[in-house]
Amino acid sequence: MQIVKIDTAPFSEQRPGTSGLRKKVRIFQQPHYLENFVQSIFDTQQALVGGTLVVGGDGRYYNREATQIILRMAAANGVACVIVGQGGLLSTPALSCLVRKYNAQGGIVLSASHNPGGPDEDFGIKFNAANGGPAAEAVTEAIYQRTTEINGYQTLESAEIDLDHIGASRLDGMQIQIIDPVTDYAALMQTLFDFDCIRRLLTSSHFRMRFDAMHAITGVYATRILEEMLGAPAGTVINSRPLPDFGGGHPDPNLVHAHELVHMTQGHNGVDFAAASDGDGDRNMILGQNFFVTPSDSLAIIAANAHLIPGYQQQKIDGVARSMPTSQAVDRVADKLGMDCFETPTGWKFFGNLLDAGRITFCGEESFGTGSSHVREKDGLWAVLFWLNLLAVKQQSVATIVQDHWREFGRNYYTRHDYEGVDKAAATHLMQDLRNRLGSLPGRQMQGHTVEYADDFAYTDPIDNSRSEHQGLRVGFTDGSRIIYRLSGTGTQGATLRVYLETYEATPEKQQQATASVMAPLVSIAQELAQIVQKTGRDNPTVIT
Ligand code: G16
C-alpha cells in the first residue's frame, strides 16, 4: 500500500479545551481539519511509533469516518498495532481500561461527551496517555503547538477498513484488532463489585430500576452488564440503542435532559433506583424514588462506604480528590476518616498524577463525574454499579442512605446555574471585571453573609509541580458558603458561564429543606456580585442542576 504525503496548512483554534478538541461536525469535515490534529498527535507522541494505540468513540455522527481516517494515518505513521472497538465504538472509561490492560502507548477518544450529535451538532477528539487518562496539559499544549505549524500529514491509500468483524487484520505493516467493546470492561467491573449480591437485588420483586442510556454508548454496556450478566428484567435499560444523533436528544445526564427518567422515579409508584449516563459513558446521574443525589454527595457517600465494596475493602483509602467547584461534602468524609483530600481544577486530567502516584483512590466532579483508581477516566457505569452494590449491602433506600450520611457529616446544599450561549466577549468581560474586584471583597457584608476570601484559583500539581492558573473565581463566606464563577471549556457555541453555589448545614432538622429556597439568598448575591443580568442580558440561567 502506498503511503502518501498530503500538503496542508494550519487551522486556527485547534487548542483543546477542558477535555479535548470539540467543534461542530462541519468544522471537522473540512478537508485536512481532523487530519492536521491527528498528525499533530503522531508528531508529538513518538512512543506511538512501533507502539499500540486504542481507538474508539461514542458512536456519534462522523465516528466511523474519523475512525477510518485515524487508522490509515496510524499505519502511515508507523504505529504497530491499533485496538479498535467493534464498529469504532468504545465508551471513554472502557478505552481507558483497554489502554491500561494492554499496555498501549495511548488512546484516541472520539466524542464530544454530553454535547448533542448529528451533522449540525458536535464532534470531538481527545488524546489519552499511556496511563489511560486524558493527556496532561503539557501534552495537549504540545499537540496544539504542533497544529499551529503543521504543513503536511501522512496517510495510506487503502480500501474501506472493516470495523465490524471481531478479529485481527493488517493494514500495511500495522495490525488492527477489532474487539468486543464490552468484554474487558465488564471483566474489570467483576473484580470490583459483588455481582452475586447485585444480582439478588436486581432480580428481587421488591426492587425496580431504570437506566437511561440516552441513545448513547452506555446502552451497549448497560444492556450487557445489567440485563444479561446481572439479570435485571428486560427493559431496565431504556433508550438503549446508540444513535448517531442520540435520537435528537442531549445526552447529558442531569435533571433537565434526563427528564424522562426523572419522571419514572416520581410519585408513590416511582422506581427505587434510576441512573443515566452521557454520550461517551463517563458521566452518571443517581436517583432514588423521589430523590436526586447530587454528584458531590455521591462522591462523598462513595468515599464513606468504600469498606462495603469488595474491590475497595482490602485497601486503605489514602486519599480523595474533587475539582474545585465540587462541593466540600467529600472533604468532611476525608477529615473524619483521616484521608488526604485534594482540590484540583476542573478537568479529569488533573486527577491523573494523583491516581498514578497512589495518593487518591476516589475522585469526582460536580459535573456528574465520579471515578476511582480502576481506570483514569470518570466512569458512569462504575458509579451505578457502586450504588447498586451499596443498596444491596445496606438494604436501604437511596434517600435513607443519603439522609443518614447528612446526619453524620452534615449537608452541603449545592446548585449550579449555567448561562449557555452567552456572547463570548460579554462573558470574558464579566469574568475580568470580577477578577479585578476580588481584592476589595473580603470583609464585605452581603445579605447577612460576610466575604472571608476571594481569589482566582490556581493549582500546583503536588506530583510534578506543574502550575495551572485562572481556574475559576472563588468567593468564600465566613459561614463556609461559596460562590464560584467559571467559563466552561467544553462548549462549542459562544460562552457558557457557570456559577456554582454551596452552603453547609450541620443541623439535622434543617437538612430536609428544598435546595432552591436554601440557596436563594446566595443566588441573588451571586448575580449582584458579578452583575450577571447587566453584563449578559440574561435574567435567568439556561440550566439549573
Ligand atoms: C469534561 C471534563 C470534566 C469537566 C467537564 C465540564 O467532562 O472531563 O472534567 O468537569 O467537562 O467542564 P466545563 O465546565 O469546562 O464545561 P466531559 O464529560 O464533557 O468529558
Side-chain angles (χ1 to χ4, degrees):
M1 257 169 267
Q2 184 76 29
I3 292 181
V4 282
K5 293 194 170 159
I6 312 279
D7 290 338
T8 181
F11 289 89
S12 60
E13 299 282 322
Q14 285 200 320
R15 188 194 286 277
T18 308
S19 185
L21 182 68
R22 292 181 189 169
K23 300 277 179 199
K24 291 287 169 209
V25 164
R26 298 210 190 279
I27 292 183
F28 271 103
Q29 285 173 323
Q30 296 171 87
H32 314 315
Y33 188 88
L34 177 67
E35 289 86 344
N36 275 13
F37 192 80
V38 172
Q39 186 63 49
S40 299
I41 295 175
F42 290 128
D43 287 349
T44 53
Q45 308 307 308
Q46 285 302 313
L48 292 173
V49 178
T52 298
L53 175 73
V54 183
V55 178
D58 63 9
R60 67 179 56 231
Y61 189 87
Y62 202 53
N63 191 127
R64 271 184 174 267
E65 294 83 342
T67 306
Q68 296 278 341
I69 290 170
I70 292 166
L71 292 186
R72 290 192 184 104
M73 289 184 65
N77 278 279
V79 174
C81 175
V82 178
I83 299 172
V84 192
Q86 187 179 22
L89 300 180
L90 282 176
S91 78
T92 295
L95 178 135
S96 183
C97 158
L98 290 166
V99 170
R100 297 171 68 74
K101 182 166 178 176
Y102 295 109
N103 297 317
Q105 279 62 48
I108 293 181
V109 181
L110 301 172
S111 171
S113 186
H114 53 290
N115 295 5
D120 298 318
E121 297 295 353
D122 295 354
F123 189 75
I125 177 168
K126 178 173 78 161
F127 178 67
N128 278 26
N131 70 349
E137 276 197 327
V139 173
T140 54
E141 186 59 23
I143 295 170
Y144 166 66
Q145 287 304 332
R146 182 67 191 138
T147 68
T148 64
E149 60 197 25
I150 193 162
N151 57 17
Y153 63 86
Q154 305 201 97
T155 187
L156 211 64
E157 275 176 351
S158 84
E160 181 95 356
I161 303 154
D162 178 4
L163 301 175
D164 297 313
H165 293 95
I166 290 177
S169 62
R170 292 202 83 80
L171 181 63
D172 208 29
M174 184 179 84
Q175 186 178 53
I176 298 179
Q177 293 268 10
I178 306 286
I179 61 160
D180 176 84
V182 185
T183 306
D184 295 279
Y185 176 80
L188 177 60
M189 294 301 112
Q190 282 178 297
T191 67
L192 300 173
F193 301 112
D194 185 341
F195 269 42
D196 290 335
C197 182
I198 298 175
R199 188 177 300 108
R200 280 194 293 279
L201 178 74
L202 286 174
T203 52
S204 126
S205 55
H206 307 296
F207 187 80
R208 287 181 311 141
M209 154 178 197
R210 289 289 177 277
F211 178 90
D212 190 349
M214 306 188 87
H215 286 302
I217 190 77
T218 40
V220 180
Y221 292 82
T223 304
R224 177 89 65 85
I225 295 174
L226 297 177
E227 295 189 5
E228 294 171 22
M229 295 172 73
L230 289 167
T236 296
V237 182
I238 62 169
N239 299 320
S240 61
R241 199 156 68 89
L243 297 171
D245 66 349
F246 308 115
H250 199 129
D252 197 356
N254 61 34
L255 295 172
V256 178
H257 295 302
H259 52 85
E260 180 189 359
L261 182 77
V262 174
H263 185 67
M264 291 175 176
T265 64
Q266 289 169 343
H268 291 308
N269 210 23
V271 297
D272 304 289
F273 180 65
S277 193
D278 68 332
D280 60 330
D282 56 2
R283 295 184 175 206
N284 74 90
M285 175 170 69
I286 302 292
L287 301 161
Q289 193 183 47
N290 298 307
F291 203 89
F292 165 63
V293 186
T294 69
S296 301
D297 279 348
S298 181
L299 172 65
I301 290 163
I302 284 172
N305 290 285
H307 59 285
L308 299 175
I309 307 299
Y312 302 97
Q313 57 198 179
Q314 299 306 333
Q315 46 175 301
K316 184 173 172 319
I317 310 296
D318 287 324
V320 291
R322 61 167 171 82
S323 67
M324 183 272 282
T326 302
S327 100
Q328 298 164 100
V330 75
D331 303 35
R332 299 187 178 273
V333 174
D335 196 34
K336 195 156 179 179
L337 302 186
M339 305 169 187
D340 286 338
C341 183
F342 297 88
E343 183 177 46
T344 59
T346 294
W348 205 261
K349 55 182 176 262
F350 293 105
F351 296 134
N353 280 348
L354 294 167
L355 288 164
D356 286 351
R359 300 285 293 273
I360 59 169
T361 303
F362 299 108
C363 41
E365 298 186 275
E366 50 63 42
S367 55
F368 295 85
T370 336
S372 88
S373 49
H374 68 289
V375 290
R376 292 294 180 273
E377 288 279 3
K378 55 187 181 273
D379 189 343
L381 210 43
W382 169 88
V384 175
L385 291 168
F386 195 111
W387 268 93
L388 280 170
N389 204 153
L390 192 58
L391 292 169
V393 172
K394 287 203 164 221
Q395 295 287 318
Q396 290 174 325
S397 70
V398 171
T400 303
I401 291 174
V402 178
Q403 285 159 354
D404 284 354
H405 182 91
W406 292 340
R407 253 189 299 282
E408 185 176 352
F409 296 95
R411 177 174 182 186
N412 289 71
Y413 282 98
Y414 189 83
T415 190
R416 185 178 100 183
H417 287 202
D418 291 340
Y419 297 79
E420 295 175 332
V422 173
D423 176 68
K424 228 176 190 162
T428 310
H429 170 64
L430 177 149
M431 291 294 284
Q432 189 52 47
D433 182 56
L434 181 59
R435 190 175 286 121
N436 295 342
R437 289 185 284 118
L438 288 176
S440 66
L441 295 181
R444 184 160 154 197
Q445 301 257 344
M446 301 184 81
Q447 303 187 28
H449 287 71
T450 308
V451 177
E452 187 179 359
Y453 64 88
D455 62 14
D456 187 352
F457 182 62
Y459 177 68
T460 304
D461 185 295
I463 311 300
D464 66 11
N465 286 320
S466 57
R467 180 101 177 137
S468 304
E469 313 260 357
H470 305 305
Q471 297 296 322
L473 307 181
R474 299 193 292 190
V475 181
F477 298 88
T478 49
D479 65 352
S481 303
R482 299 193 306 168
I483 302 172
I484 288 141
Y485 302 85
R486 260 189 82 243
L487 295 185
S488 160
T490 56
T492 56
Q493 221 157 25
T496 295
L497 170 67
R498 301 204 196 284
V499 185
Y500 312 80
L501 305 120
E502 170 184 12
T503 192
Y504 181 66
E505 182 53 71
T507 315
E509 294 70 41
K510 295 186 182 165
Q511 290 170 353
Q512 305 298 332
Q513 304 168 73
T515 301
S517 65
V518 173
M519 303 309 276
L522 268 190
V523 168
S524 103
I525 293 175
Q527 288 183 334
E528 186 189 326
L529 256 182
Q531 302 175 326
I532 295 176
V533 181
Q534 298 89 318
K535 293 212 163 77
T536 65
R538 299 291 181 80
D539 291 332
N540 290 302
T542 339
V543 178
I544 298 179
T545 48

